[in-house]
Amino acid sequence: MHVPDGFIDAPTSVATGAVAAAAVAVSLRGARRELDERTAPLAGLVAAFVFAVQMLNFPVAAGTSGHLLGGALAAILVGPYTGVLCVSVVLLMQGILFADGGLTALGVNITNMAVVTTVVAYALFRPLVKLLPRTRRSVTIASFVAALVSVPASALVFTLMYAVGGTTDVSIGKVAGAMVGVHLLIGIGEAAITALTVGAVIAVRPDLVYGARGLRQRLQLRVNGALVDAPAPDEARDGARTAPVAARTSRRALWISGLVTSLVLAGFVSFYASANPDGLEKVAADHGIDKKAEEHDYADSPLADYGVKDVDDARLSGGLAGVIGVGVTVAAGTGVFWAVRRRRSADDVSPVSTSV
């Protein structure tokens, strides 16, 4: 879904750039309420993980591949505002370092891949979690559904953008059908990755999952040798209260394991990713959208096309590029989110008046 330069005309690119800038500004402010000293490092890790998994194109249908967009995953793990920032950091790193996604189309890509996916996914996720039983499994199910819907929604928004500012004369109806159809299939992969990741984190640190905040498990009492749920607070005569779900691993262990997983995915597993064109590339080629596509301004950069320049071995070149990408993304993301966190801490400090 990375839109290259030349697909969308200049006025529309400028307009979407303004929308993206406004969304990032709002998200920077909103993220202050979502981030704390525990979740700020996790947010940088989420950005790196999204970068890594986006390198893993999986086959779908008719010679087409897809990859994670990441908006739903980021929103559920660290919050919708922080999620927008996570995916925006990834897109910025991809555009500047790897020549993936046009620079003039950066506003299009942030609006489409960061804002739309995050807003749609979280707007669906929250009511689902409230309607379903308040269990870990419900959070995972809601994550699957939200991620599934967010991908074709993003494809539909791109089609609307192209209807307004497309640079070639094509049948918008056919493009819409092709885009939504193939991205519905890609959405199944997105949903599976999102649900598995959210479920894995909930299993060890549910307290760090933004979308699972407030999830509680009943205290259990042993009665006649069997464990039974303790009464709810309003039923308890002695004031017994529910307890938070216990953490099974430390934050440091979770962060290290997440980083190692990201490095392995980007540095090794990515070599086995599908080489088929992704959904947008396939539709663009089939329907003539790519007739005026322009070469990326950084096409000759040392890391263009996810390979290290002058490294002849394809496996080593791609692996090194993936490792570098994960490292740069986690550093940039963590820096951004710690800065946002410090700003929140500064805003929370009120001046102390003294009287003489």
Side-chain angles (χ1 to χ4, degrees):
M1 195 75 94
H2 292 78
V3 179
D5 294 322
F7 273 28
I8 305 294
D9 63 21
T12 307
S13 296
V14 171
T16 54
V19 171
V24 168
V26 171
S27 297
L28 284 169
R29 187 174 184 84
R32 297 180 198 171
R33 299 191 297 272
E34 295 173 347
L35 294 170
D36 56 31
E37 67 279 356
R38 300 178 307 157
T39 56
L42 179 62
L45 178 62
V46 168
F49 182 78
V50 169
F51 173 89
V53 180
Q54 283 196 4
M55 294 183 66
L56 308 181
N57 281 48
F58 49 85
V60 284
T64 309
S65 71
H67 63 70
L68 183 82
L69 298 186
L73 175 62
I76 294 165
L77 287 180
V78 293
Y81 293 109
T82 309
V84 170
L85 297 179
C86 282
V87 182
S88 297
V89 168
V90 172
L91 293 171
L92 186 61
M93 296 299 102
Q94 290 170 333
I96 293 176
L97 296 179
F98 299 94
D100 189 10
L103 296 182
T104 62
L106 185 59
V108 173
N109 287 323
I110 289 177
T111 300
N112 205 31
M113 294 178 65
V115 180
V116 172
T117 57
T118 300
V119 170
V120 170
Y122 203 74
L124 183 57
F125 173 81
R126 287 311 302 172
L128 282 174
V129 169
K130 291 180 180 179
L131 289 172
L132 294 170
R134 297 180 68 80
T135 64
R136 300 178 188 177
R137 181 174 297 179
S138 296
V139 176
T140 304
I141 293 172
S143 301
F144 185 95
V145 176
L148 174 63
V149 174
S150 70
V151 178
S154 180
L156 181 59
V157 170
F158 167 77
T159 306
L160 295 175
M161 291 179 181
Y162 201 84
V164 174
T167 54
T168 58
D169 186 14
V170 298
S171 170
I172 296 300
K174 291 182 179 179
V175 171
M179 283 291 291
V180 173
V182 71
H183 284 89
L184 183 59
L185 297 176
I186 294 171
I188 297 173
E190 175 104 12
I193 294 170
T194 300
L196 287 171
T197 305
V198 171
V201 179
I202 285 180
V204 294
R205 287 301 299 258
D207 58 310
L208 296 182
V209 178
Y210 186 89
R213 290 186 177 182
L215 186 65
R216 294 291 185 269
Q217 102 181 355
R218 285 281 190 90
L219 285 171
Q220 290 188 317
L221 304 177
R222 187 171 295 279
V223 179
N224 296 326
L227 288 175
V228 297
D229 287 340
D234 56 348
E235 300 170 352
R237 289 175 299 176
D238 58 355
R241 296 187 178 277
T242 56
V245 181
R248 297 181 182 177
T249 189
S250 68
R251 281 180 288 156
R252 176 177 294 180
L254 177 64
W255 194 92
I256 292 173
S257 62
L259 180 60
V260 170
T261 300
S262 300
L263 291 170
V264 170
L265 292 175
F268 178 72
V269 180
S270 62
F271 181 77
Y272 301 97
S274 173
N276 291 331
D278 66 24
L280 176 59
E281 292 172 335
K282 186 69 165 62
V283 172
D286 289 347
H287 295 273
I289 293 176
D290 60 355
K291 289 180 180 178
K292 295 187 178 180
E294 300 173 2
E295 186 177 36
H296 200 285
D297 290 339
Y298 295 158
D300 295 328
S301 70
L303 297 173
D305 295 325
Y306 298 93
V308 177
K309 191 175 182 179
D310 298 329
V311 176
D312 296 329
D313 184 275
R315 186 191 298 268
L316 179 60
S317 177
L320 286 174
V323 169
I324 292 170
V326 168
V328 172
T329 303
V330 75
T334 302
V336 168
F337 298 124
W338 270 119
V340 172
R341 169 60 187 159
R342 285 197 297 269
R343 179 66 181 269
R344 171 186 172 177
S345 299
D347 290 344
D348 288 343
V349 176
S350 57
V352 179
S353 61
T354 57
S355 56
V356 179

